[in-house]
Amino acid sequence: MKNLKRIFTFLLILVMAVAIFAGCEPKEPVYREGKVTIGIPGNALIPDLDTNGYTLWLERTTGLDIEWEEYVGWPFGYRKETLPDILVGFRSFERMGNTNANKLGEEGVLKDLKPLIDAGKLPTFKAQLDALPQETRDYVLAKGTNTSEDTAGAFFALPTVSFETFDDQQSMIYINKTWLERVGMDAPTNIQELTAVCKAFLEKDANGDGDATNEIPMLELGNNPEIRNWIINAFTEYNEGCFNVDANGTVWDPYVTNEFRQALKCISEFTEQGYYKEIEIVNIHNDFASKQEFKNLINPADGSACRVGIFGGHMESNTSGPTNVLEEFVCLKPLADETGKGGYNIVNDVYISWDGVITKDCRNIDAACRVLDAFYLDESVTIQRWGTEGEYWVREEVENWFGSKSYFKVLDFNAFFDMSRNATMGNLLGIRTPENYLGQARTAANTADKRQIEVTRLIQEQWKIMQTWPKNQIDTLENLVYTTQEDDYREEKLDAFDSYRSEQILLFMKGEKNINSDQEWNAYVGQMKQLDQAGIMKIQQDAYNRKVGK
């Protein structure tokens, strides 16, 4: 008996000692088998990520426990000791960008995905990649493949590829046809007619509320300068933020031309006369007050008359409110100059960003691959944006807004925008096509919601204009592939160049700098040169030449 007591006492002491020593070790998070953590941009509109409709679908599809970790802005800014297994959704906030992905991969922060793709760990992604049009597929492979000496051939980030979608038709401008009828005018087709229409809107109680002082002829939200782009394109071939390429394949900068100066002069005069107002937005992602102010002027919360004659951007999210105000609006065609030249900002046929990575701290590579691969299912794209199958949409072949086929029919159009329902997550990662992203066009036969009938009408008006109106005869410098040295140079120079240009444009537009002053304009052009305009353009030229095989 004594021996048994001694043995028991010894075992008890041993267990206690192990527990004490174990308590001295650094505490690590406990990750049970089958759990994957995903870092995403924070979104205050989603009530509960754990019970979100997309979360539940992703867990059912992968058989894994999904835990989301939200961040604000650049996910590596806070330099956490331990990153989530996966990061997705950079397009929604600050873009990861292929350059940043390569740099972080070279530093060992991100995993190389190529061996995983080659080993068949991402079969859905691979199938979707192989099904892309050849030019798009070649670009994704060329852009995504690292070219640095130590990591050549690595593939650090998966792309989001977006073909023609509803969201991409945001370059359109809308005019209040009811106001036009009240002032007895037609929709403007050039700058002179636009000036006359704005003058009438401002002075003639165009909204019919008895107050001739509360109309805003043209209203713009600062992060979405579509009216500004629309006006500039009446003066020069312009694609916001980009250099142009002429018919001979030579890169040129529209921002320093006399035509661009005349466009800024026009906008400056519109601002001074009260024809054009821009609501500044402090933070593109979180400035809900500015967005609400913009929306409330178009569709006032108290149900009073619309106060805006012309607006640009997303016709649905910018106009929600108590009345069906969209029935007052029609799409505007591009403005032309005295020669008949004019066009809309170029809308690319495809947009590509780099939105899915596996981090150095991933605890289960196979599970992480299973999750990333699920993002590329067609159903994933649909649920990210439209919500739960059966509740918000059903499987049925229908014709979408663009006249092509989709595999699903929308039951509740408002799910697209209303994240408070906790059914959607927005656009995180995947390959978006009209087939998996757009349900059927809304018509009086399939919905009682008059607002959605108006949305469909405007989308179809947009699409018709985009297909029939001659686009600017310039090539686009989007989707170029840069060498590692070119990327390094662009990173060093481009931010200062772009920031200065954007800042000066706003100052000229607002009249805080005198666009009529040769001294001030020449100072602006000279500083652009000092910021290595020629060097930046040379890199664009070299990359473009490679793209077209020169």
Side-chain angles (χ1 to χ4, degrees):
M1 182 67 70
K2 288 182 180 180
N3 288 337
L4 286 175
K5 286 182 178 180
R6 289 193 186 100
I7 293 171
F8 178 78
T9 302
F10 174 76
L11 290 174
L12 181 61
I13 292 171
L14 181 62
V15 169
M16 291 175 64
V18 169
I20 291 171
F21 284 115
C24 296
E25 291 296 315
K27 291 186 177 181
E28 293 291 335
V30 177
Y31 292 91
R32 64 178 183 272
E33 180 67 18
K35 181 175 183 179
V36 174
T37 58
I38 309 177
I40 58 170
N43 191 333
L45 299 177
I46 300 175
D48 184 5
L49 288 168
D50 289 339
T51 60
N52 183 273
Y54 183 74
T55 304
L56 300 179
W57 174 85
L58 192 59
E59 289 182 332
R60 286 195 304 271
T61 301
T62 63
L64 298 164
D65 180 15
I66 303 298
E67 181 178 284
W68 303 98
E69 182 176 313
E70 295 183 275
Y71 56 81
V72 177
W74 183 233
F76 302 97
Y78 52 78
R79 293 296 175 188
K80 286 189 58 176
E81 291 183 6
T82 304
L83 289 166
D85 300 313
I86 298 170
L87 292 165
V88 299
F90 300 101
R91 187 173 188 268
S92 303
F93 278 53
E94 292 190 36
R95 291 189 176 190
M96 160 68 80
N98 177 258
T99 301
N100 286 321
N102 277 323
K103 180 174 292 187
L104 290 166
E106 291 160 14
E107 294 173 358
V109 177
L110 304 181
K111 297 285 189 183
D112 178 10
L113 304 178
K114 188 175 187 304
L116 303 174
I117 296 170
D118 292 344
K121 301 287 187 183
L122 294 159
T124 306
F125 166 73
K126 182 64 165 57
Q128 292 274 29
L129 178 67
D130 290 343
L132 291 175
Q134 187 66 41
E135 183 179 353
T136 304
R137 181 178 181 275
D138 290 348
Y139 170 76
V140 169
L141 290 173
K143 185 72 171 178
T145 301
N146 186 273
T147 58
S148 295
E149 183 176 350
D150 294 337
T151 52
F155 205 91
F156 292 114
L158 297 182
T160 289
V161 181
S162 302
F163 292 95
E164 296 162 338
T165 73
F166 171 39
D167 279 354
D168 295 337
Q169 305 309 310
Q170 295 184 38
S171 299
M172 284 294 175
I173 312 298
Y174 310 94
I175 190 167
N176 196 309
K177 63 180 180 180
T178 306
W179 287 26
L180 285 172
E181 292 166 0
R182 286 200 180 102
V183 300
M185 302 183 79
D186 295 325
T189 61
N190 57 46
I191 292 295
Q192 292 73 29
E193 292 175 0
L194 177 62
T195 303
V197 165
C198 286
K199 187 175 189 297
F201 280 178
L202 189 66
E203 298 176 354
K204 293 187 177 181
D205 187 26
N207 70 355
D209 67 351
D211 183 353
T213 65
N214 66 359
E215 283 84 0
I216 302 171
M218 293 186 287
L219 182 67
E220 188 130 84
L221 194 60
N223 70 302
N224 198 18
E226 302 301 350
I227 295 176
R228 185 198 313 170
N229 299 341
W230 177 62
I231 292 171
I232 293 172
N233 266 296
F235 292 85
T236 186
E237 297 164 324
Y238 175 74
N239 190 13
E240 185 189 3
C242 296
F243 296 120
N244 291 340
V245 183
D246 66 18
N248 297 316
T250 302
V251 173
W252 60 282
D253 186 354
Y255 289 90
V256 295
T257 62
N258 183 60
E259 290 85 358
F260 186 75
R261 183 182 182 184
Q262 294 306 309
L264 294 184
K265 179 180 178 182
C266 176
I267 297 171
S268 177
E269 290 174 353
F270 281 167
T271 302
E272 183 179 359
Q273 293 161 347
Y275 299 165
Y276 173 86
K277 178 180 179 180
E278 180 177 300
I279 294 178
E280 294 187 16
I281 190 160
V282 178
N283 185 309
I284 186 173
H285 312 301
N286 298 316
D287 194 348
F288 298 113
S290 295
K291 294 177 182 178
Q292 188 59 44
E293 178 187 357
F294 182 77
K295 186 188 303 184
N296 197 49
L297 289 167
I298 299 172
N299 196 348
D302 61 5
S304 59
C306 172
R307 292 180 53 195
V308 177
I310 298 172
F311 76 94
H314 209 301
M315 99 285 282
E316 170 71 9
S317 60
N318 285 337
T319 63
S320 60
T323 66
N324 187 21
V325 72
L326 283 179
E327 65 184 0
E328 298 182 28
F329 286 87
V330 293
C331 293
L332 275 170
K333 293 180 179 180
L335 295 172
D337 65 8
E338 59 274 9
T339 69
K341 179 185 70 178
Y344 270 120
N345 223 19
I346 293 173
V347 176
N348 293 327
D349 293 330
V350 60
Y351 292 82
I352 299 171
S353 54
W354 302 87
D355 300 328
V357 301
I358 297 179
T359 74
K360 63 181 177 59
D361 297 318
C362 181
R363 299 152 191 84
N364 187 329
I365 296 293
D366 286 345
C369 287
R370 204 185 316 167
V371 172
L372 282 179
D373 200 53
F375 276 100
Y376 286 91
L377 292 167
D378 284 330
E379 186 178 356
S380 171
V381 174
T382 306
I383 295 172
Q384 283 179 51
R385 212 59 183 94
W386 290 100
T388 312
E389 181 179 1
E391 184 176 2
Y392 295 107
W393 59 274
V394 293
R395 294 178 188 272
E396 180 179 325
E397 186 173 289
V398 295
E399 184 175 288
N400 60 43
W401 288 294
F402 302 125
S404 59
K405 296 296 182 183
S406 294
Y407 68 80
F408 67 101
K409 174 181 177 180
V410 177
L411 299 177
D412 187 345
F413 186 92
N414 292 304
F416 190 94
F417 297 99
D418 189 0
M419 287 189 173
S420 68
R421 300 184 183 198
N422 208 36
T424 60
M425 295 280 280
N427 303 317
L428 295 175
L429 178 67
I431 293 179
R432 299 163 54 198
T433 67
E435 289 70 32
N436 64 25
Y437 192 71
L438 299 174
Q440 86 287 4
R442 308 292 283 181
T443 66
N446 64 23
T447 180
D449 189 341
K450 293 181 179 180
R451 176 176 172 77
Q452 304 317 324
I453 297 173
E454 299 303 327
V455 169
T456 295
R457 174 182 62 81
L458 288 171
I459 291 172
Q460 291 175 334
E461 281 182 21
Q462 289 177 352
W463 190 241
K464 184 178 180 180
I465 291 172
M466 298 296 279
Q467 296 303 302
T468 59
W469 190 270
K471 294 182 180 179
N472 283 332
Q473 297 303 304
I474 56 174
D475 202 348
T476 175
L477 285 171
E478 298 287 342
N479 296 345
L480 297 181
V481 178
Y482 301 100
T483 66
T484 301
Q485 292 76 18
E486 289 171 342
D487 267 335
D488 290 343
Y489 186 87
R490 280 165 51 83
E491 183 179 9
E492 177 186 351
K493 301 286 187 178
L494 204 55
D495 280 350
F497 183 82
D498 286 345
S499 296
Y500 174 78
R501 179 179 61 191
S502 298
E503 174 190 87
Q504 297 303 302
I505 288 171
L506 286 175
L507 292 175
F508 281 126
M509 281 174 41
K510 294 177 181 179
E512 295 177 24
K513 280 199 168 184
N514 185 3
I515 191 64
N516 295 308
S517 166
D518 289 342
Q519 182 179 357
E520 294 200 34
W521 176 257
N522 291 336
Y524 156 72
V525 173
Q527 184 60 26
M528 293 276 277
K529 293 178 181 177
Q530 289 294 317
L531 292 169
D532 204 15
Q533 176 192 43
I536 295 169
M537 288 176 65
K538 182 181 184 304
I539 286 177
Q540 296 282 86
Q541 184 71 67
D542 291 344
Y544 179 77
N545 289 346
R546 290 194 297 270
K547 176 183 177 181
V548 299
K550 282 190 175 181

